[in-house]
Structures are given as C-alpha cells and as structure tokens.
Amino acid sequence: MDWTSVQLRSLVELRRLGTVTAVAAALGYTPGAISQQLGSLERAAGVPLLRRVGRRVELTDAGLAFAGHAQQILDIEASATAALERSAGRVAGELQMALFATAAAEILPVMLARVAQRHPELVVRSRELVVDDVYDVVASGTVDLAVGLEYPDVPIRRDPSLRVMLLHRERFSLAAPTGTLPAGPISLAATGPPLGWILPPEDTHYGLAIRTACWRAGIEPALRHSVVDTAVSLALVEAGIGLSTVTDLMLRLRPSRFDVLPLVETFERHIVAVVRSSAEHRPNVAAVLQVLRELQLEPLGGQGGQEFGGADEPLQVGDSGS
C-alpha cells in the first residue's frame, strides 16, 4: 500500500483529538487539507476508515485498528531518523520548536544565540503558540521540541508518548495597584472587595489554576476583566483596574509600576521542555535540550530577579509536578 507520513499522522491525530478541525489545528493545515489526506489514505487502504456521523466524521473499527498500526509505523520512522542522525556524528539540519509567549520573549533569544555559536550547522525554526497548545503540537509531530508550562494544581492531560522535563519552578506573587493593599506577604483570602480580578478565562489551564488557588483559600475571585495576554493584564493592574498574579519572568515583559506582594499560599508554575520519547535522543533535539538545561543556571536578558533554573529533573507524564 502507498501512503505518506502526513496521512498516517492525520489518522492518528483524529483518533487522539476526535475532530478534523482539531487535527488541522494541531498539524498546521486547513480542515479541507486534512480531509483530503484522510480520503487519500482511505483509498490507499481499500477499506472504509471513516464514517460520517451528523456533521462529524469518526473512525470505523478498521480505522481504529489501522490508527494503532499507523502510530507504530510513525514511531519506527522516528527511530530510523534518529539512527541516521546519530550515525552522521554531527548536529546539523533543522529543528522545529514551539514556545509560549513569555518563553519566546525571554528564553528564545538567549537559547538561539547559544545554539548558533555551538552548532552552526543547526537551524532552529520556532513558532509562538498559546501555551495550552504546545503539548498537542509535540504529540502530533508538528514540532520536535517545545517549551511549555505545567501547573501542579491543574496538570495537563498529555499523550503518554511525551517526555516532559522540568526546567524551572516559578512562584506567583500578587500584582496590585500601588498603595491599595498593605505591604508584606498577603493571603489570597485578604483580597476581597472593592478590588476585582484580571484573570485568564477559566477554560485555560492558567485561568483554572488561579481559580483553584483562590478556592483553596476560601474565596471566589470577583472577575472584572478576562484577559489572555500577560502584558495587557500588567497594564490594567498598573492603571488601578484590579488584581492579578505574576511571576518574575512575567514581570520582564514590560516595565510596570504596581505593588508586587508575596503570597502566603504556595501557587506556582513549572516551565518544562516537552519532546516525544522517540525523539529525545536525536542529536539535534539533545543539543537544544542541553542548552535549555544550561540556561537554568544563568539570568536571562542580563536582568536581575529570579533566575531561570534551580531544577533539573524529569516530570513523568501524569505527574502533578509537586
């Protein structure tokens, strides 16, 4: 039978994600292009792999069985690629990488300079993504490596084929308009009216993690503004609009004037590197991972504050990271 890696990956991702739209987003194609890939694969297989249910498509029994074998084929292909790269004995070619916004601003420039100096034949191509999407693009094979986030209270459900490595722990503080709250450590329980909150939506992992910390402290945060962009949240706090939470790395996004108060409660996030287990020891991937680990020991961007680092340990898939 004649099929392509993209066709096999489309089938595997449809089994994992459930909709053509989600597969298209994960693989970086349009829904129409994914439908064409699946149609071509079905014709090559010679048996129905898909059936239409209302406006959706789902896998037939044959499709489900074939998806399992397709994953094995893709794993073998990845292992063969890694073997060829290792036999070449050098770090060269291209590596596709994804990062969330804060990492793209603060970690990427330092990392790229170090990689270029050490491995001039390696070209790193990066893309900035919404942080909740970085696991999917690694699992789908769209990128080789990603820098993402993990919240101990709300761990992201991930594909078991992923390897997640802890790079750094950041503890959140409270960002409050200047002079509105007493100085010194403060409990979330002491942040009631009249100040409201500037929070990400609850259907994001960050938004749910903040709310979980507040619920544990016995309060329901009074939402005033729903904001995804960190720089916008900081600007609203600076303007006296409300409260938010912030880490040292987030504070580097823009110069801001507001009070940063330590929280009594422990509320933290983990910056992690995410790779497929089958790709972890590819020379290109291993080289960039090594640079990321080295950055743990150095302040980024020549600025003061908390360093990017302090831990070098794996987070096994399914761990909360606590």
Side-chain angles (χ1 to χ4, degrees):
M1 296 182 185
D2 188 15
W3 49 59
T4 67
S5 295
V6 175
Q7 291 168 358
L8 296 177
R9 180 63 65 187
S10 298
L11 184 70
V12 169
E13 290 303 296
L14 183 59
R15 180 185 63 171
R16 188 171 71 90
L17 299 174
T19 69
V20 169
T21 300
V23 173
L27 297 183
Y29 292 90
T30 65
I34 293 299
S35 294
Q36 291 177 2
Q37 295 291 339
L38 292 169
S40 297
L41 180 61
E42 190 171 51
R43 288 190 294 274
V47 297
L49 302 177
L50 310 169
R51 57 170 166 260
R52 185 164 294 279
V53 180
R55 300 179 62 181
R56 298 179 55 194
V57 295
E58 63 180 29
L59 296 179
T60 63
D61 289 344
L64 287 169
F66 188 28
H69 291 291
Q71 182 62 68
Q72 294 178 21
I73 294 170
L74 292 169
D75 289 343
I76 291 171
E77 182 180 277
S79 297
T81 299
L84 289 173
E85 289 180 355
R86 287 194 296 270
S87 68
R90 61 193 180 99
V91 176
E94 287 189 1
L95 181 137
Q96 301 291 333
M97 186 174 184
L99 306 93
F100 65 97
T102 311
E106 291 293 333
I107 299 171
L108 184 62
V110 182
M111 187 212 74
L112 289 177
R114 182 74 55 83
V115 170
Q117 181 183 43
R118 188 173 301 172
H119 307 291
E121 295 182 89
L122 177 61
V123 176
V124 177
R125 302 194 184 278
S126 67
R127 53 191 293 193
E128 180 187 330
L129 289 178
V130 175
V131 66
D132 288 1
D133 293 338
V134 298
Y135 292 89
D136 281 342
V137 296
V138 178
S140 68
T142 306
V143 301
D144 303 301
L145 168 68
V147 176
L149 291 173
E150 177 86 353
Y151 297 92
D153 289 328
V154 191
I156 293 178
R157 184 175 180 272
R158 298 184 296 267
D159 188 294
S161 66
L162 296 183
R163 171 79 163 161
V164 181
M165 288 156 279
L166 177 63
L167 296 175
H168 175 52
R169 289 184 174 92
E170 280 199 307
R171 187 162 177 170
F172 282 93
S173 299
L174 184 70
T178 302
T180 57
L181 292 172
I186 187 170
S187 170
L188 287 167
T191 60
L195 290 174
W197 282 83
I198 302 154
L199 298 177
E202 190 174 347
D203 62 358
T204 65
H205 284 85
Y206 179 24
L208 182 55
I210 294 175
R211 288 166 175 82
T212 299
C214 288
W215 296 334
R216 190 167 55 238
I219 67 164
E220 178 66 44
L223 180 65
R224 293 290 182 266
H225 298 277
S226 181
V227 177
V228 175
D229 189 280
T230 299
V232 174
S233 296
L234 300 185
L236 291 175
V237 175
E238 187 175 37
I241 304 300
L243 306 170
S244 192
T245 48
V246 69
T247 68
D248 285 352
L249 196 59
M250 292 163 67
L251 285 170
R252 298 178 187 178
L253 285 177
R254 65 184 297 275
S256 303
R257 293 184 179 180
F258 49 72
D259 292 338
V260 179
L261 307 175
L263 285 171
V264 173
E265 296 85 2
T266 298
F267 173 37
E268 65 181 23
R269 70 179 186 177
H270 298 165
I271 299 176
V272 296
V274 188
V275 298
R276 295 184 304 282
S277 298
S278 59
E280 180 182 357
H281 299 295
R282 285 176 51 192
N284 293 354
V285 174
V288 175
L289 280 174
Q290 179 60 34
V291 171
L292 286 171
R293 290 190 180 101
E294 291 172 1
L295 292 181
Q296 295 177 45
L297 305 178
E298 305 169 12
L300 293 176
Q303 303 180 41
Q306 188 172 1
E307 295 183 357
F308 176 65
D312 184 12
E313 56 193 80
L315 276 179
Q316 298 299 332
V317 172
D319 284 356
S320 67
S322 56

